[in-house]
Amino acid sequence: MSNPIPANNAPETPKTSNFLRQIIEKDLAEGTYATRRWAGSPGDAAHHAAGAPDPAKIRTRFPPEPNGYLHIGHAKSICINFGLARDYGGVCHLRFDDTNPEKEDTEYVNSIIDAVKWLGFDWSQPGNDKPYQASDYFDFMYRAAVHLIETGYAYVDEQTAEQMRINRGDFGKPGIDSPFRGRTPAENLARFTDMRDGKFEDGSMVLRAKLDMASPNINLRDPAIYRIRRATHHNTGDTWCIYPMYAYAHPIEDALEQITHSFCTLEFEDQRPWYDWLLQRLIEGGLLSAPPPRQTEFARLNLTYVITSKRKLAQLVYDHKVNGWDDPRMPTIVGLRRRGYTPESIQLFAERIGVTKSDSWIDYSTLEGCLREDLEAKAHRGMAVLNPVKLIMTNWDDVMGAGHLEPCTQPALPHVAEGTEPPPPRHFTIGKEVWIDREDFEEVPPKGYKRLFPGNKVRLKGGYVIECTGCIKDIDGVITDVLATVVPDTKSGTPGSETVKVKAAITWVGVADGQPAEVRMYDRLFSDAQPDAGGKDFIESLNPNSLKVVTAIVEPSLANALPDQKFQFERHGYFVADRVDHVTGSKPVFNLAVGLKDSWGK
Ligand code: ATP
Ligand code: MG
């Protein structure tokens, strides 16, 4: 067979080794999984035995529960799982872990598919481009449970939830056997069949694995594996009234899919002995093929000023603290995207933070730095005035001619890689009146101030040198116009333009061709670096100034920006065009993605 492994996963960024890579490299060197077969779809031992040797050297998976939108923490997991599969000649499965009927929804399924694709990854394999779903394995999970019962490894427990909790013991106290633990396989099988057939009330009994009620690992004290729950499942409808528990379902899902390396976050470390125990029993019984997948844990992403819990993010949405899952302040993939993040910047971030075995906090500025780095070379430049005040060149009509508009050009990108065609330049005009930022004029300049103040010369970037002569104020003392004179023969790019020396260049937009735009100046959503740590109420540290909307004036090249196009507003930062809200107006809308420098808290 030719190599069917798709080469369509995201481009590689430079890598450093880490413990996950070392585990994979060791397994590849030792041929740990070399004997595996793959029948082209998930299945039991017999199914795969009939298949060919697995062309994928490793199989990893990203298994989200479709109960919310993916966030930056999931992006880390996606980059790890898809990235490692790509780097080692493997395949990464996208699998919906949809064994819990209550909270799941196809809206989330679709958003997850979009997010993974947008990040630049692809799970499709020849003849198979649908993601997997755990609920497709319900039949096998049921069969596996029957097998455990028949081999004396599972029993139906009719204790109340409260009795079960008390009898489980705790860290210092061994558990107590359930009075139902001694039932025969035949009795248990009859009971379990009745459970499935809907003969018992929700919650009246569970199926438990029979391990060791005295185990120091509480997860091994006869974990529940099936519960009764009458709920309509988004995939299987009302076929089932019993559903497998996550810790039982997950190892089976991995094994049916011939996963080699099951990477998960640290909170599952204590579950690993159960994962291994369960798969071993099912391999012994001939239900699953050997070798089993192996679970390895890594530290989840904790990012300062950010919450990465689907439940808490949902609360922000439903309590209208933000404007939906894709609010540009949200750490969801859809939110980051509207904020101007690129797939490349998120991949770079995942690579840069690496993977470790112990929990730590990553500073938010690391994420911002990755975006800046990515956009620096890509984002077209443009001038925008965020806090406009009019500047009048009082000698313009005399020197340049009344009403004259002088055309100007500036490159869209200051540098392009060798061999690359530069994008077309920007065109705009300069006339007697231009908009400048209020902060670029001071009547009485503070020490070291180099921009406009009476008597000082600056360059209007891409235009002329001007000399400030003063300002006009209204009766409240608010400056309405800044006054200046244009210095002839200083137009940028013309011979001799550099002979008049200035200490600063300021950005501006012509009054004649500038267009108004709505600019959303986003800031961090929380003012506490660890908003939900230690049980804190994260709502209390919501930053009341996380969104300020201003009406800016932008140069013509920005006025027709399409949603998702990124720009560097010179001297201000990176901005992304957003969809225009036709209810409130038809002005273009821009979102602040990230400032030019890390200035947080400075
Ligand atoms: P949440 O607590 O936000 O609901 P979850 O872990 O329950 O997250 P799942 O849909 O079960 O969400 O997660 C899918 C995968 O993403 C899992 O393998 C999980 O370990 C991983 N993941 C979730 N959050 C993070 C994070 N902050 N950092 C790294 N990986 C994460
Ligand atoms: Mg979860």
mmCIF file of all heavy atoms in Angstrom, residues 61-67 69-78 80-81 97 112 246 250 263-268 298-302 308-313, ligand 1:
data_model
loop_
_atom_site.group_PDB
_atom_site.id
_atom_site.type_symbol
_atom_site.label_atom_id
_atom_site.label_comp_id
_atom_site.label_asym_id
_atom_site.label_seq_id
_atom_site.Cartn_x
_atom_site.Cartn_y
_atom_site.Cartn_z
ATOM 1 N N ARG A 61 -5.241 11.134 19.573
ATOM 2 C CA ARG A 61 -6.617 11.599 19.375
ATOM 3 C C ARG A 61 -6.830 12.880 20.158
ATOM 4 O O ARG A 61 -6.170 13.126 21.168
ATOM 5 C CB ARG A 61 -7.638 10.524 19.770
ATOM 6 C CG ARG A 61 -7.985 10.461 21.228
ATOM 7 C CD ARG A 61 -6.869 9.878 22.076
ATOM 8 N NE ARG A 61 -7.173 9.964 23.473
ATOM 9 C CZ ARG A 61 -6.827 10.986 24.269
ATOM 10 N NH1 ARG A 61 -6.137 12.012 23.795
ATOM 11 N NH2 ARG A 61 -7.178 10.972 25.529
ATOM 12 N N PHE A 62 -7.760 13.681 19.669
ATOM 13 C CA PHE A 62 -8.233 14.829 20.422
ATOM 14 C C PHE A 62 -9.704 14.550 20.697
ATOM 15 O O PHE A 62 -10.504 14.474 19.757
ATOM 16 C CB PHE A 62 -8.050 16.121 19.623
ATOM 17 C CG PHE A 62 -8.686 17.298 20.286
ATOM 18 C CD1 PHE A 62 -8.224 17.748 21.521
ATOM 19 C CD2 PHE A 62 -9.766 17.949 19.698
ATOM 20 C CE1 PHE A 62 -8.836 18.807 22.158
ATOM 21 C CE2 PHE A 62 -10.379 19.021 20.334
ATOM 22 C CZ PHE A 62 -9.914 19.442 21.561
ATOM 23 N N PRO A 63 -10.064 14.357 21.973
ATOM 24 C CA PRO A 63 -11.420 13.862 22.291
ATOM 25 C C PRO A 63 -12.295 14.848 23.055
ATOM 26 O O PRO A 63 -12.608 14.627 24.219
ATOM 27 C CB PRO A 63 -11.099 12.666 23.186
ATOM 28 C CG PRO A 63 -9.873 13.120 23.959
ATOM 29 C CD PRO A 63 -9.162 14.155 23.119
ATOM 30 N N PRO A 64 -12.717 15.948 22.440
ATOM 31 C CA PRO A 64 -13.532 16.901 23.193
ATOM 32 C C PRO A 64 -14.933 16.377 23.483
ATOM 33 O O PRO A 64 -15.489 15.609 22.695
ATOM 34 C CB PRO A 64 -13.618 18.099 22.252
ATOM 35 C CG PRO A 64 -13.509 17.503 20.893
ATOM 36 C CD PRO A 64 -12.540 16.361 21.036
ATOM 37 N N GLU A 65 -15.463 16.832 24.590
ATOM 38 C CA GLU A 65 -16.863 16.578 24.876
ATOM 39 C C GLU A 65 -17.629 17.726 24.215
ATOM 40 O O GLU A 65 -17.324 18.890 24.475
ATOM 41 C CB GLU A 65 -17.057 16.608 26.397
ATOM 42 C CG GLU A 65 -18.334 15.981 26.834
ATOM 43 C CD GLU A 65 -18.543 16.067 28.336
ATOM 44 O OE1 GLU A 65 -17.580 16.299 29.087
ATOM 45 O OE2 GLU A 65 -19.702 15.890 28.741
ATOM 46 N N PRO A 66 -18.605 17.440 23.348
ATOM 47 C CA PRO A 66 -19.269 18.550 22.633
ATOM 48 C C PRO A 66 -20.280 19.283 23.508
ATOM 49 O O PRO A 66 -21.472 19.287 23.243
ATOM 50 C CB PRO A 66 -19.934 17.859 21.439
ATOM 51 C CG PRO A 66 -20.120 16.442 21.858
ATOM 52 C CD PRO A 66 -19.069 16.125 22.885
ATOM 53 N N ASN A 67 -19.791 19.896 24.562
ATOM 54 C CA ASN A 67 -20.680 20.594 25.498
ATOM 55 C C ASN A 67 -20.306 22.060 25.639
ATOM 56 O O ASN A 67 -20.651 22.715 26.609
ATOM 57 C CB ASN A 67 -20.660 19.909 26.869
ATOM 58 C CG ASN A 67 -19.287 19.931 27.511
ATOM 59 O OD1 ASN A 67 -18.304 20.325 26.883
ATOM 60 N ND2 ASN A 67 -19.194 19.523 28.753
ATOM 61 N N TYR A 69 -17.816 25.538 23.545
ATOM 62 C CA TYR A 69 -16.875 25.956 22.508
ATOM 63 C C TYR A 69 -15.449 25.706 22.982
ATOM 64 O O TYR A 69 -15.160 25.837 24.166
ATOM 65 C CB TYR A 69 -17.078 27.433 22.191
ATOM 66 C CG TYR A 69 -18.288 27.676 21.321
ATOM 67 C CD1 TYR A 69 -19.575 27.575 21.826
ATOM 68 C CD2 TYR A 69 -18.127 27.982 19.974
ATOM 69 C CE1 TYR A 69 -20.679 27.785 21.016
ATOM 70 C CE2 TYR A 69 -19.229 28.187 19.152
ATOM 71 C CZ TYR A 69 -20.496 28.086 19.679
ATOM 72 O OH TYR A 69 -21.578 28.288 18.864
ATOM 73 N N LEU A 70 -14.580 25.369 22.059
ATOM 74 C CA LEU A 70 -13.188 25.105 22.431
ATOM 75 C C LEU A 70 -12.483 26.401 22.795
ATOM 76 O O LEU A 70 -12.785 27.466 22.268
ATOM 77 C CB LEU A 70 -12.455 24.427 21.281
ATOM 78 C CG LEU A 70 -12.982 23.065 20.852
ATOM 79 C CD1 LEU A 70 -12.081 22.479 19.772
ATOM 80 C CD2 LEU A 70 -13.090 22.105 22.036
ATOM 81 N N HIS A 71 -11.526 26.275 23.714
ATOM 82 C CA HIS A 71 -10.772 27.457 24.146
ATOM 83 C C HIS A 71 -9.273 27.242 23.953
ATOM 84 O O HIS A 71 -8.848 26.196 23.444
ATOM 85 C CB HIS A 71 -11.137 27.810 25.594
ATOM 86 C CG HIS A 71 -11.014 26.673 26.570
ATOM 87 N ND1 HIS A 71 -9.807 26.036 26.820
ATOM 88 C CD2 HIS A 71 -11.932 26.065 27.363
ATOM 89 C CE1 HIS A 71 -9.988 25.099 27.731
ATOM 90 N NE2 HIS A 71 -11.282 25.074 28.072
ATOM 91 N N ILE A 72 -8.507 28.210 24.378
ATOM 92 C CA ILE A 72 -7.059 28.189 24.141
ATOM 93 C C ILE A 72 -6.396 26.964 24.784
ATOM 94 O O ILE A 72 -5.399 26.451 24.259
ATOM 95 C CB ILE A 72 -6.424 29.536 24.614
ATOM 96 C CG1 ILE A 72 -4.933 29.614 24.303
ATOM 97 C CG2 ILE A 72 -6.668 29.801 26.093
ATOM 98 C CD1 ILE A 72 -4.608 29.786 22.833
ATOM 99 N N GLY A 73 -6.970 26.465 25.891
ATOM 100 C CA GLY A 73 -6.436 25.242 26.504
ATOM 101 C C GLY A 73 -6.608 24.046 25.581
ATOM 102 O O GLY A 73 -5.698 23.225 25.416
ATOM 103 N N HIS A 74 -7.779 23.960 24.943
ATOM 104 C CA HIS A 74 -7.987 22.888 23.974
ATOM 105 C C HIS A 74 -7.033 23.047 22.794
ATOM 106 O O HIS A 74 -6.573 22.062 22.238
ATOM 107 C CB HIS A 74 -9.428 22.906 23.453
ATOM 108 C CG HIS A 74 -10.446 22.613 24.510
ATOM 109 N ND1 HIS A 74 -11.317 23.560 24.978
ATOM 110 C CD2 HIS A 74 -10.717 21.478 25.201
ATOM 111 C CE1 HIS A 74 -12.083 23.014 25.899
ATOM 112 N NE2 HIS A 74 -11.751 21.763 26.071
ATOM 113 N N ALA A 75 -6.764 24.292 22.424
ATOM 114 C CA ALA A 75 -5.844 24.520 21.304
ATOM 115 C C ALA A 75 -4.481 23.906 21.609
ATOM 116 O O ALA A 75 -3.838 23.327 20.731
ATOM 117 C CB ALA A 75 -5.705 26.012 21.015
ATOM 118 N N LYS A 76 -4.071 24.008 22.864
ATOM 119 C CA LYS A 76 -2.801 23.379 23.243
ATOM 120 C C LYS A 76 -2.876 21.873 23.000
ATOM 121 O O LYS A 76 -1.984 21.273 22.397
ATOM 122 C CB LYS A 76 -2.496 23.668 24.722
ATOM 123 C CG LYS A 76 -1.295 22.870 25.256
ATOM 124 C CD LYS A 76 -0.994 23.178 26.717
ATOM 125 C CE LYS A 76 0.152 22.287 27.206
ATOM 126 N NZ LYS A 76 0.575 22.604 28.583
ATOM 127 N N SER A 77 -3.966 21.274 23.451
ATOM 128 C CA SER A 77 -4.139 19.831 23.293
ATOM 129 C C SER A 77 -4.223 19.435 21.813
ATOM 130 O O SER A 77 -3.657 18.429 21.389
ATOM 131 C CB SER A 77 -5.395 19.415 24.061
ATOM 132 O OG SER A 77 -5.643 18.049 23.926
ATOM 133 N N ILE A 78 -4.902 20.261 21.018
ATOM 134 C CA ILE A 78 -5.018 19.993 19.580
ATOM 135 C C ILE A 78 -3.642 20.043 18.927
ATOM 136 O O ILE A 78 -3.257 19.152 18.165
ATOM 137 C CB ILE A 78 -5.965 21.025 18.914
ATOM 138 C CG1 ILE A 78 -7.396 20.810 19.398
ATOM 139 C CG2 ILE A 78 -5.893 20.946 17.385
ATOM 140 C CD1 ILE A 78 -8.364 21.924 18.998
ATOM 141 N N ILE A 80 -0.770 19.637 20.309
ATOM 142 C CA ILE A 80 0.050 18.520 20.776
ATOM 143 C C ILE A 80 -0.328 17.247 20.017
ATOM 144 O O ILE A 80 0.522 16.583 19.418
ATOM 145 C CB ILE A 80 -0.127 18.303 22.301
ATOM 146 C CG1 ILE A 80 0.570 19.429 23.068
ATOM 147 C CG2 ILE A 80 0.410 16.935 22.722
ATOM 148 C CD1 ILE A 80 0.348 19.373 24.570
ATOM 149 N N ASN A 81 -1.604 16.921 20.031
ATOM 150 C CA ASN A 81 -2.011 15.642 19.459
ATOM 151 C C ASN A 81 -1.874 15.593 17.944
ATOM 152 O O ASN A 81 -1.342 14.624 17.401
ATOM 153 C CB ASN A 81 -3.445 15.313 19.889
ATOM 154 C CG ASN A 81 -3.494 14.821 21.320
ATOM 155 O OD1 ASN A 81 -2.978 13.746 21.632
ATOM 156 N ND2 ASN A 81 -4.074 15.613 22.210
ATOM 157 N N ASP A 97 -16.363 12.975 22.363
ATOM 158 C CA ASP A 97 -16.568 12.148 23.539
ATOM 159 C C ASP A 97 -17.979 12.440 24.037
ATOM 160 O O ASP A 97 -18.172 13.222 24.971
ATOM 161 C CB ASP A 97 -15.498 12.510 24.578
ATOM 162 C CG ASP A 97 -15.119 11.297 25.376
ATOM 163 O OD1 ASP A 97 -15.998 10.464 25.627
ATOM 164 O OD2 ASP A 97 -13.935 11.190 25.739
ATOM 165 N N ILE A 112 -16.731 22.748 17.001
ATOM 166 C CA ILE A 112 -15.455 22.063 17.256
ATOM 167 C C ILE A 112 -14.793 21.680 15.931
ATOM 168 O O ILE A 112 -13.590 21.868 15.741
ATOM 169 C CB ILE A 112 -15.674 20.837 18.167
ATOM 170 C CG1 ILE A 112 -16.048 21.313 19.580
ATOM 171 C CG2 ILE A 112 -14.432 19.949 18.197
ATOM 172 C CD1 ILE A 112 -16.545 20.228 20.519
ATOM 173 N N TYR A 246 -17.682 8.045 32.049
ATOM 174 C CA TYR A 246 -16.562 8.546 31.252
ATOM 175 C C TYR A 246 -15.302 7.689 31.412
ATOM 176 O O TYR A 246 -14.642 7.327 30.441
ATOM 177 C CB TYR A 246 -16.269 9.995 31.657
ATOM 178 C CG TYR A 246 -15.077 10.565 30.952
ATOM 179 C CD1 TYR A 246 -15.208 11.127 29.683
ATOM 180 C CD2 TYR A 246 -13.816 10.519 31.536
ATOM 181 C CE1 TYR A 246 -14.117 11.622 29.019
ATOM 182 C CE2 TYR A 246 -12.709 11.011 30.869
ATOM 183 C CZ TYR A 246 -12.862 11.562 29.611
ATOM 184 O OH TYR A 246 -11.768 12.040 28.955
ATOM 185 N N HIS A 250 -13.807 5.961 28.070
ATOM 186 C CA HIS A 250 -12.652 6.566 27.401
ATOM 187 C C HIS A 250 -11.572 5.569 26.977
ATOM 188 O O HIS A 250 -11.134 5.576 25.826
ATOM 189 C CB HIS A 250 -12.077 7.699 28.251
ATOM 190 C CG HIS A 250 -11.212 8.602 27.454
ATOM 191 N ND1 HIS A 250 -11.715 9.664 26.725
ATOM 192 C CD2 HIS A 250 -9.893 8.566 27.201
ATOM 193 C CE1 HIS A 250 -10.731 10.235 26.071
ATOM 194 N NE2 HIS A 250 -9.606 9.579 26.344
ATOM 195 N N PHE A 263 -2.872 11.018 25.128
ATOM 196 C CA PHE A 263 -2.351 12.119 25.943
ATOM 197 C C PHE A 263 -3.493 12.871 26.592
ATOM 198 O O PHE A 263 -4.443 13.264 25.925
ATOM 199 C CB PHE A 263 -1.524 13.078 25.076
ATOM 200 C CG PHE A 263 -0.333 12.409 24.434
ATOM 201 C CD1 PHE A 263 -0.142 12.483 23.071
ATOM 202 C CD2 PHE A 263 0.582 11.700 25.206
ATOM 203 C CE1 PHE A 263 0.961 11.864 22.470
ATOM 204 C CE2 PHE A 263 1.676 11.079 24.622
ATOM 205 C CZ PHE A 263 1.865 11.153 23.244
ATOM 206 N N CYS A 264 -3.391 13.076 27.878
ATOM 207 C CA CYS A 264 -4.467 13.781 28.566
ATOM 208 C C CYS A 264 -3.869 14.669 29.652
ATOM 209 O O CYS A 264 -2.661 14.622 29.901
ATOM 210 C CB CYS A 264 -5.470 12.796 29.155
ATOM 211 S SG CYS A 264 -4.722 11.732 30.362
ATOM 212 N N THR A 265 -4.710 15.442 30.284
ATOM 213 C CA THR A 265 -4.215 16.375 31.286
ATOM 214 C C THR A 265 -4.050 15.677 32.643
ATOM 215 O O THR A 265 -4.609 14.609 32.882
ATOM 216 C CB THR A 265 -5.131 17.604 31.364
ATOM 217 O OG1 THR A 265 -6.484 17.188 31.204
ATOM 218 C CG2 THR A 265 -4.810 18.578 30.244
ATOM 219 N N LEU A 266 -3.265 16.321 33.516
ATOM 220 C CA LEU A 266 -2.795 15.669 34.745
ATOM 221 C C LEU A 266 -3.883 15.126 35.658
ATOM 222 O O LEU A 266 -3.649 14.164 36.392
ATOM 223 C CB LEU A 266 -1.946 16.659 35.564
ATOM 224 C CG LEU A 266 -0.530 16.936 35.059
ATOM 225 C CD1 LEU A 266 0.110 18.022 35.921
ATOM 226 C CD2 LEU A 266 0.309 15.666 35.097
ATOM 227 N N GLU A 267 -5.065 15.727 35.608
ATOM 228 C CA GLU A 267 -6.097 15.263 36.551
ATOM 229 C C GLU A 267 -6.500 13.810 36.303
ATOM 230 O O GLU A 267 -7.155 13.200 37.136
ATOM 231 C CB GLU A 267 -7.311 16.202 36.553
ATOM 232 C CG GLU A 267 -8.094 16.284 35.263
ATOM 233 C CD GLU A 267 -7.635 17.388 34.321
ATOM 234 O OE1 GLU A 267 -6.452 17.788 34.371
ATOM 235 O OE2 GLU A 267 -8.466 17.840 33.502
ATOM 236 N N PHE A 268 -6.081 13.253 35.161
ATOM 237 C CA PHE A 268 -6.430 11.858 34.877
ATOM 238 C C PHE A 268 -5.342 10.874 35.324
ATOM 239 O O PHE A 268 -5.469 9.670 35.105
ATOM 240 C CB PHE A 268 -6.713 11.679 33.380
ATOM 241 C CG PHE A 268 -7.941 12.417 32.939
ATOM 242 C CD1 PHE A 268 -7.847 13.631 32.269
ATOM 243 C CD2 PHE A 268 -9.205 11.918 33.231
ATOM 244 C CE1 PHE A 268 -8.983 14.317 31.884
ATOM 245 C CE2 PHE A 268 -10.347 12.592 32.843
ATOM 246 C CZ PHE A 268 -10.231 13.802 32.172
ATOM 247 N N PHE A 298 -0.069 15.277 30.743
ATOM 248 C CA PHE A 298 0.733 16.512 30.675
ATOM 249 C C PHE A 298 -0.038 17.618 31.384
ATOM 250 O O PHE A 298 -1.242 17.486 31.628
ATOM 251 C CB PHE A 298 1.037 16.889 29.217
ATOM 252 C CG PHE A 298 -0.167 17.233 28.404
ATOM 253 C CD1 PHE A 298 -0.633 18.552 28.345
ATOM 254 C CD2 PHE A 298 -0.857 16.255 27.684
ATOM 255 C CE1 PHE A 298 -1.762 18.871 27.595
ATOM 256 C CE2 PHE A 298 -1.990 16.584 26.931
ATOM 257 C CZ PHE A 298 -2.437 17.886 26.883
ATOM 258 N N ALA A 299 0.675 18.695 31.702
ATOM 259 C CA ALA A 299 0.047 19.784 32.454
ATOM 260 C C ALA A 299 -0.878 20.581 31.550
ATOM 261 O O ALA A 299 -0.534 20.919 30.417
ATOM 262 C CB ALA A 299 1.113 20.710 33.034
ATOM 263 N N ARG A 300 -2.069 20.897 32.072
ATOM 264 C CA ARG A 300 -2.996 21.701 31.314
ATOM 265 C C ARG A 300 -2.472 23.130 31.208
ATOM 266 O O ARG A 300 -1.610 23.543 31.978
ATOM 267 C CB ARG A 300 -4.387 21.693 31.942
ATOM 268 C CG ARG A 300 -4.434 22.206 33.372
ATOM 269 C CD ARG A 300 -5.830 22.096 33.964
ATOM 270 N NE ARG A 300 -6.719 23.088 33.391
ATOM 271 C CZ ARG A 300 -7.845 22.794 32.750
ATOM 272 N NH1 ARG A 300 -8.230 21.556 32.608
ATOM 273 N NH2 ARG A 300 -8.599 23.747 32.261
ATOM 274 N N LEU A 301 -2.980 23.860 30.264
ATOM 275 C CA LEU A 301 -2.595 25.257 30.118
ATOM 276 C C LEU A 301 -3.351 26.116 31.121
ATOM 277 O O LEU A 301 -4.576 26.069 31.181
ATOM 278 C CB LEU A 301 -2.921 25.742 28.699
ATOM 279 C CG LEU A 301 -2.789 27.261 28.496
ATOM 280 C CD1 LEU A 301 -1.339 27.695 28.576
ATOM 281 C CD2 LEU A 301 -3.385 27.661 27.155
ATOM 282 N N ASN A 302 -2.596 26.869 31.899
ATOM 283 C CA ASN A 302 -3.185 27.927 32.717
ATOM 284 C C ASN A 302 -2.595 29.231 32.204
ATOM 285 O O ASN A 302 -1.376 29.387 32.170
ATOM 286 C CB ASN A 302 -2.796 27.763 34.190
ATOM 287 C CG ASN A 302 -3.358 26.486 34.780
ATOM 288 O OD1 ASN A 302 -4.536 26.202 34.648
ATOM 289 N ND2 ASN A 302 -2.501 25.713 35.423
ATOM 290 N N THR A 308 -10.119 29.110 31.686
ATOM 291 C CA THR A 308 -10.239 28.020 30.717
ATOM 292 C C THR A 308 -11.077 26.901 31.324
ATOM 293 O O THR A 308 -10.583 25.840 31.629
ATOM 294 C CB THR A 308 -8.873 27.451 30.291
ATOM 295 O OG1 THR A 308 -8.111 27.203 31.468
ATOM 296 C CG2 THR A 308 -8.127 28.384 29.389
ATOM 297 N N SER A 309 -12.321 27.194 31.512
ATOM 298 C CA SER A 309 -13.275 26.174 31.927
ATOM 299 C C SER A 309 -14.526 26.446 31.116
ATOM 300 O O SER A 309 -15.054 27.564 31.141
ATOM 301 C CB SER A 309 -13.556 26.287 33.419
ATOM 302 O OG SER A 309 -14.889 25.909 33.693
ATOM 303 N N LYS A 310 -14.966 25.441 30.391
ATOM 304 C CA LYS A 310 -16.134 25.637 29.528
ATOM 305 C C LYS A 310 -17.334 26.111 30.348
ATOM 306 O O LYS A 310 -18.097 26.958 29.906
ATOM 307 C CB LYS A 310 -16.472 24.330 28.814
ATOM 308 C CG LYS A 310 -15.698 24.138 27.532
ATOM 309 C CD LYS A 310 -16.130 22.881 26.811
ATOM 310 C CE LYS A 310 -15.290 21.705 27.241
ATOM 311 N NZ LYS A 310 -15.635 20.446 26.580
ATOM 312 N N ARG A 311 -17.464 25.541 31.547
ATOM 313 C CA ARG A 311 -18.623 25.872 32.375
ATOM 314 C C ARG A 311 -18.600 27.368 32.756
ATOM 315 O O ARG A 311 -19.601 28.065 32.661
ATOM 316 C CB ARG A 311 -18.602 25.006 33.640
ATOM 317 C CG ARG A 311 -19.787 25.207 34.545
ATOM 318 C CD ARG A 311 -19.684 24.306 35.784
ATOM 319 N NE ARG A 311 -18.475 24.543 36.574
ATOM 320 C CZ ARG A 311 -18.301 25.582 37.397
ATOM 321 N NH1 ARG A 311 -19.245 26.474 37.526
ATOM 322 N NH2 ARG A 311 -17.168 25.710 38.075
ATOM 323 N N LYS A 312 -17.435 27.847 33.156
ATOM 324 C CA LYS A 312 -17.341 29.254 33.559
ATOM 325 C C LYS A 312 -17.448 30.190 32.358
ATOM 326 O O LYS A 312 -18.014 31.278 32.448
ATOM 327 C CB LYS A 312 -16.042 29.495 34.318
ATOM 328 C CG LYS A 312 -16.042 28.810 35.682
ATOM 329 C CD LYS A 312 -14.717 28.962 36.386
ATOM 330 C CE LYS A 312 -14.700 28.082 37.633
ATOM 331 N NZ LYS A 312 -13.332 27.924 38.153
ATOM 332 N N LEU A 313 -16.917 29.754 31.222
ATOM 333 C CA LEU A 313 -17.061 30.583 30.017
ATOM 334 C C LEU A 313 -18.536 30.663 29.626
ATOM 335 O O LEU A 313 -19.024 31.718 29.218
ATOM 336 C CB LEU A 313 -16.221 30.009 28.873
ATOM 337 C CG LEU A 313 -14.701 30.074 29.083
ATOM 338 C CD1 LEU A 313 -13.965 29.365 27.946
ATOM 339 C CD2 LEU A 313 -14.226 31.518 29.186
HETATM 340 P P1 ATP B 1 -13.380 22.107 30.457
HETATM 341 O O1 ATP B 1 -12.938 21.909 31.853
HETATM 342 O O2 ATP B 1 -13.094 23.461 29.906
HETATM 343 O O3 ATP B 1 -14.783 21.669 30.194
HETATM 344 P P2 ATP B 1 -12.527 19.633 29.535
HETATM 345 O O4 ATP B 1 -11.227 19.057 29.869
HETATM 346 O O5 ATP B 1 -13.696 19.102 30.249
HETATM 347 O O6 ATP B 1 -12.430 21.191 29.618
HETATM 348 P P3 ATP B 1 -12.898 18.279 27.081
HETATM 349 O O7 ATP B 1 -13.817 18.603 25.982
HETATM 350 O O8 ATP B 1 -13.145 17.070 27.855
HETATM 351 O O9 ATP B 1 -12.858 19.553 28.013
HETATM 352 O O10 ATP B 1 -11.404 18.335 26.594
HETATM 353 C C1 ATP B 1 -10.902 17.818 25.403
HETATM 354 C C2 ATP B 1 -9.417 17.694 25.525
HETATM 355 O O11 ATP B 1 -8.822 18.962 25.757
HETATM 356 C C3 ATP B 1 -9.042 16.821 26.700
HETATM 357 O O12 ATP B 1 -8.056 15.895 26.276
HETATM 358 C C4 ATP B 1 -8.518 17.780 27.712
HETATM 359 O O13 ATP B 1 -7.553 17.197 28.527
HETATM 360 C C5 ATP B 1 -7.951 18.896 26.848
HETATM 361 N N1 ATP B 1 -7.943 20.165 27.575
HETATM 362 C C6 ATP B 1 -8.995 20.797 28.124
HETATM 363 N N2 ATP B 1 -8.599 21.918 28.761
HETATM 364 C C7 ATP B 1 -7.259 21.995 28.598
HETATM 365 C C8 ATP B 1 -6.249 22.933 29.029
HETATM 366 N N3 ATP B 1 -6.539 24.018 29.751
HETATM 367 N N4 ATP B 1 -4.971 22.690 28.665
HETATM 368 C C9 ATP B 1 -4.666 21.604 27.916
HETATM 369 N N5 ATP B 1 -5.555 20.693 27.493
HETATM 370 C C10 ATP B 1 -6.839 20.880 27.832
#
